[in-house]
């Protein structure tokens, strides 16, 4: 499938790379098919893009939460994970959405609404984590700068 995207221009998505969100994602229930893309120049170390295949202008920046919060391990009700089908712990990819405002110093991630992807069957869901431990707007700019500087 070839797609003209806002962020990456024209890209080809292989069928086996399509990620399906049977229930859509929070705020966009009708968008159910995505591909995970990254900028080759930036590498795969930080921000990826969850690119909608149904709405080419829609792509969400996402990242591995362990890069900014090493102890991130929210409890998720098993009932919410049934949509992923059968999965093993090492096959589960966890991502969080990134908000990048004009003032980069105010960049945040949403630790309260992680995206879970079953690497085996590429089924995914976004869940809302209960409790106050995880924030919707967790600041990450200083953390990323420290990592970049090798701290």
């Amino acid at each position: 499938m070839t797609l003209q995207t806002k962020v990456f221009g024209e890209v080809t998505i292989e069928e086996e790379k399509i990620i399906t969100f049977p229930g859509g994602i929070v705020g966009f229930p009708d968008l159910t098919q995505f591909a995970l893309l990254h900028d080759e120049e930036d590498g795969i170390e930080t921000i990826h893009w969850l690119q909608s295949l149904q709405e080419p202008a829609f792509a969400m920046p996402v990242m591995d939460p362990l890069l900014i919060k090493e102890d991130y391990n929210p409890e998720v009700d098993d009932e919410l994970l049934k949509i992923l089908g059968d999965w093993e712990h090492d096959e589960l990819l966890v991502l969080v959405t990134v908000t990048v405002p004009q003032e980069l110093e105010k960049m945040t991630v949403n630790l309260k609404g992680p995206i879970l992807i079953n690497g085996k069957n590429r089924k995914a869901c976004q869940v809302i984590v209960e409790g106050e431990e995880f924030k919707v707007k967790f600041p990450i700019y200083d953390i990323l700068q420290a990592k970049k500087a090798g701290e």
Side-chain angles (χ1 to χ4, degrees):
M1 161 187 283
T2 301
L3 191 66
Q4 186 65 35
T5 71
K6 183 177 180 179
V7 176
F8 292 99
E10 187 174 293
V11 296
T12 301
I13 310 293
E14 298 169 25
E15 186 74 29
E16 63 272 8
K17 302 279 184 175
I18 296 174
I19 300 166
T20 302
F21 286 76
I25 56 175
V26 175
F28 302 93
D30 296 335
L31 300 181
T32 58
Q33 290 194 315
F34 290 83
L36 193 59
L37 305 176
H38 64 272
D39 189 331
E40 296 291 338
E41 291 177 19
D42 290 342
I44 60 172
E45 297 301 313
T46 53
I47 296 179
H48 305 278
W49 294 86
L50 203 54
Q51 172 66 57
S52 170
L53 302 185
Q54 294 141 308
E55 181 54 58
F58 183 81
M60 276 193 314
V62 294
M63 71 184 305
D64 180 345
L66 298 178
L67 292 174
I68 46 92
K69 187 161 176 46
E70 292 176 6
D71 62 345
Y72 185 72
N73 189 19
E75 285 188 33
V76 178
D77 188 339
D78 288 342
E79 193 66 29
L80 297 173
L81 300 179
K82 283 186 177 179
I83 200 166
L84 299 177
D86 293 332
W87 57 276
E88 298 293 326
H89 185 72
D90 62 342
E91 296 171 333
L92 193 64
L93 175 62
V94 179
L95 299 170
V96 291
T97 57
V98 181
T99 300
V100 185
Q102 281 191 314
E103 295 179 55
L104 287 180
E105 297 80 20
K106 295 183 178 179
M107 188 181 328
T108 62
V109 292
N110 179 354
L111 297 178
K112 192 138 183 97
I115 293 169
L116 310 171
I117 302 171
N118 180 338
K120 190 164 64 173
N121 64 14
R122 295 172 320 282
K123 285 190 178 179
C125 65
Q126 184 175 20
V127 298
I128 304 301
V129 178
E130 297 294 324
E132 300 301 316
E133 181 182 356
F134 301 106
K135 304 293 180 208
V136 172
K137 291 190 176 288
F138 181 80
I140 63 168
Y141 182 81
D142 290 340
I143 297 168
L144 292 177
Q145 290 304 310
K147 284 192 177 281
K148 198 176 196 180
E151 294 177 17

